[in-house]
Amino acid sequence: MRSQSCRTGEETFEEPFRFGEEEIINETKLTTLPSRLVYQYLKKMKERGVTHVVLEMTSHALDQYRLAGIQLDGAIILNIQREQLDYHQTMEAYAAAKGKIVTYLKVSVPLVFKKDDERVVGLISSLMTPTPLRKG
């Protein structure tokens, strides 16, 4: 995600993190850092003139609200696979955690997903279906 017209930052599991031209090794080996570190890095990026950030948000981080307060200009949901069941216990809990990403989206921004992953399509369908109001 590098171009001449914008300065980018990347905070993903892939090493190193990038802040414009600066690179920092992810010594934690965590995909999504604890909240304090995420915000420290975002502040450093802003100070260095970064205008666009790619931020990997794990289901663990979403479930633990480690990224609370961040507003996204778009999001991508790649897959929902059994690899995270050690933490989430069930596929339903895992999908629900991944679905929390929509709460971070600004209004009318893109949510991109893999249309050939049945679980992702099911999650997107459930997120886009309005919940009926109950009369009390």
Side-chain angles (χ1 to χ4, degrees), residues 23-74:
E23 294 184 348
I24 296 177
I25 300 299
N26 176 5
E27 294 178 5
T28 70
K29 304 300 182 209
L30 296 171
T31 306
T32 306
L33 300 174
S35 300
R36 178 181 51 80
L37 292 175
V38 171
Y39 282 99
Q40 283 178 2
Y41 284 144
L42 290 172
K43 181 181 178 188
K44 285 181 184 181
M45 288 181 197
K46 185 174 183 177
E47 289 168 352
R48 287 166 176 76
V50 169
T51 58
H52 296 75
V53 176
V54 174
L55 177 62
E56 187 170 356
M57 301 172 84
T58 64
S59 60
H60 295 78
L62 290 164
D63 189 55
Q64 297 165 7
Y65 300 97
R66 281 192 251 156
L67 301 160
I70 290 177
Q71 291 189 315
L72 303 175
D73 290 318

Side-chain angles (χ1 to χ4, degrees), residues 18-19 28 38 49 71 74 106 117 131:
R18 291 181 180 82
F19 301 10
T28 70
V38 171
Q71 291 189 315
K106 293 177 182 176
D117 184 317
T131 305

Side-chain angles (χ1 to χ4, degrees), residues 69-136:
I70 290 177
Q71 291 189 315
L72 303 175
D73 290 318
I76 300 170
I77 298 178
L78 295 177
N79 58 47
I80 299 175
Q81 297 179 356
R82 304 192 71 76
E83 62 197 24
Q84 303 297 331
L85 292 185
D86 59 324
Y87 174 83
H88 296 289
Q89 301 299 308
T90 67
M91 291 301 290
E92 293 78 15
Y94 178 36
K98 282 203 132 172
K100 289 179 182 179
I101 198 165
V102 301
T103 64
Y104 295 90
L105 290 172
K106 293 177 182 176
V107 176
S108 299
V109 298
L111 174 60
V112 179
F113 60 95
K114 269 176 75 173
K115 67 178 184 178
D116 61 347
D117 184 317
E118 291 178 20
R119 291 184 179 118
V120 173
V121 171
L123 172 63
I124 299 299
S125 295
S126 71
L127 294 172
M128 299 302 157
T129 302
T131 305
L133 296 176
R134 293 185 182 179
K135 294 183 179 180

